[in-house]
Amino acid sequence: AQTVTQSQPEMSVQEAETVTLSCTYDTSESDYYLFWYKQPPSRQMILVIRQEAYKQQNATENRFSVNFQKAAKSFSLKISDSQLGDAAMYFCAYNGADKLIFGTGTRLQVFP
Amino acid sequence: KAGVTQTPRYLIKTRGQQVTLSCSPISGHRSVSWYQQTPGQGLQFLFEYFSETQRNKGNFPGRFSGRQFSNSRSEMNVSTLELGDSALYLCASSLAPTGSVMNTEAFFGQGTRLTVV
């Protein structure tokens, strides 16, 4: 069975600084998607970034980028130039053959 | 276009009662998945529907059920409510079912906060 592990329950960063959130997963599938979702206090899950497993190039969306290491089954999220609005719960998720599996989340605090 | 709409946003029920939650997916999306989110268990997959058929089910008791209508709207029902059913229930819609190459992103609603007293 697939699993997703986020080992950092909480992280904090100073505004304008860079922070990296960690995620590892386990799977025997070769084709899958990986996602980072953000859940602000409004509770709505918002897609931050997506990575297709067959693509070697790391995905980038403005200030958000990932470090995807397929062999190591690692998928970390880097947030550059952190903003107060980045404060939220961040969930790493695996989308394989039959369902979307989430990690336990990392609460990110951003200090001015 | 309109996003995923979940109703109601908040609900308070008594133990033993039953509840029905509704989810209207994004127009054109035919796959709807449901998740239960609690502080202790995190986000747990309940079930996925595509074209009115349940494709996959998570590890929940039979008190949890769902269905999907021809317009892709979905409902989930929980019977004989227990205190432990208190949670945020999230619905997500996608163009295609999980595992399809067309399923590149799940769009989530704002959830229904269910409190069982």
Side-chain angles (χ1 to χ4, degrees):
Chain A
Q2 297 86 13
T3 58
V4 177
T5 301
Q6 292 179 252
S7 58
Q8 306 156 315
E10 287 192 9
M11 292 284 284
S12 61
V13 64
Q14 204 85 21
E15 204 175 2
E17 297 296 310
T18 296
V19 64
T20 299
L21 309 184
S22 301
C23 173
T24 59
Y25 60 95
D26 191 25
T27 184
S28 57
E29 297 175 336
S30 57
D31 291 327
Y32 49 87
Y33 288 94
L34 293 165
F35 304 95
W36 278 98
Y37 278 92
K38 169 185 176 181
Q39 188 178 40
S42 68
R43 308 177 325 200
Q44 184 152 18
M45 300 281 276
I46 301 164
L47 180 68
V48 174
I49 199 164
R50 169 180 60 235
Q51 174 79 45
E52 292 92 335
Y54 65 88
K55 288 188 177 178
Q56 293 186 339
Q57 187 172 5
N58 290 324
T60 299
E61 285 288 341
N62 301 313
R63 298 182 295 108
F64 299 88
S65 61
V66 299
N67 183 1
F68 173 49
Q69 302 289 327
K70 189 173 184 180
K73 297 191 173 81
S74 170
F75 183 59
S76 61
L77 174 69
K78 185 171 84 170
I79 306 174
S80 304
D81 186 25
S82 297
Q83 300 175 358
L84 295 177
D86 294 333
M89 281 291 288
Y90 285 81
F91 292 94
C92 176
Y94 171 97
N95 191 7
D98 59 359
K99 60 187 173 186
L100 192 58
I101 301 168
F102 289 88
T104 51
T106 297
R107 181 173 301 282
L108 178 66
Q109 293 182 303
V110 182
F111 295 103
Chain B
K1 55 184 176 183
V4 179
T5 303
Q6 290 189 245
T7 56
R9 292 286 307 279
Y10 301 90
L11 209 46
I12 299 176
K13 289 287 189 179
T14 305
R15 266 184 308 174
Q17 287 187 312
Q18 76 165 18
V19 67
T20 299
L21 312 182
S22 179
C23 172
S24 293
I26 291 172
S27 177
H29 285 194
R30 294 166 61 197
S31 174
V32 174
S33 298
W34 289 89
Y35 299 84
Q36 181 196 65
Q37 186 177 20
T38 60
Q41 298 296 318
L43 280 147
Q44 301 285 314
F45 170 76
L46 280 157
F47 25 66
E48 179 185 14
Y49 286 87
F50 180 77
S51 294
E52 302 177 64
T53 301
Q54 187 180 89
R55 290 191 74 250
N56 200 3
K57 191 177 192 303
N59 190 24
F60 279 82
R63 300 184 297 106
F64 291 81
S65 63
R67 59 179 176 170
Q68 187 180 35
F69 302 94
S70 58
N71 62 357
S72 295
R73 188 177 71 86
S74 177
E75 289 181 346
M76 68 162 280
N77 184 276
V78 188
S79 62
T80 320
L81 283 165
E82 300 177 359
L83 295 179
D85 297 333
S86 295
L88 178 66
Y89 289 88
L90 291 167
C91 163
S93 81
S94 304
L95 272 171
T98 305
S100 163
V101 294
M102 296 293 293
N103 187 322
T104 58
E105 181 178 348
F107 294 82
F108 284 81
Q110 288 192 284
T112 294
R113 170 76 66 189
L114 172 65
T115 302
V116 182
V117 298

